[in-house]
Amino acid sequence: MRGRGKLSLPLLAVSADRGSIPDMAVPLRAVAQQVYGETITDCGHFIPDEQPEKLADILTRFFTRQREAIAEALP
């Protein structure tokens, strides 16, 4: 992938405030144009186990926004 430019598809970077990478969006911005970052509070490394409802909400909002953007771009 290196040398071909940044990814153009939207990426969601989910971090945990007590995880090993406090802001996962930062390193992904080096390889992608559209990075959306979310940080879950009161959470460690195992996000799906520790905060499943918050993660589900973040994923739902992200995919809903993407679906709406695609619908708006269609003729």
Side-chain angles (χ1 to χ4, degrees), residues 11 39 41 43 50 59 64 71:
L11 297 181
T39 300
T41 57
C43 190
E50 297 177 40
L59 292 170
T64 298

Side-chain angles (χ1 to χ4, degrees), residues 3 10 12 18 30 33 45 48-49 56 71:
L12 174 62
R18 291 188 246 145
Q33 296 172 6
H45 184 72
D49 292 333

Side-chain angles (χ1 to χ4, degrees):
M1 184 67 198
R2 293 196 186 266
R4 294 186 182 178
K6 291 184 175 186
L7 296 172
S8 60
L9 74 159
L11 297 181
L12 174 62
V14 180
S15 306
D17 67 345
R18 291 188 246 145
S20 58
I21 300 175
D23 188 352
M24 185 55 123
V26 171
L28 290 176
R29 286 191 178 101
V31 297
Q33 296 172 6
Q34 299 179 62
V35 179
Y36 301 91
E38 294 274 354
T39 300
I40 297 178
T41 57
D42 299 319
C43 190
H45 184 72
F46 300 102
I47 296 171
D49 292 333
E50 297 177 40
Q51 296 287 352
E53 294 85 9
K54 288 182 182 178
L55 179 59
D57 180 55
I58 288 169
L59 292 170
T60 299
R61 285 186 284 119
F62 176 76
F63 288 119
T64 298
R65 281 193 308 260
Q66 299 314 309
R67 183 182 63 218
E68 290 169 354
I70 289 168
E72 288 177 12
L74 294 175

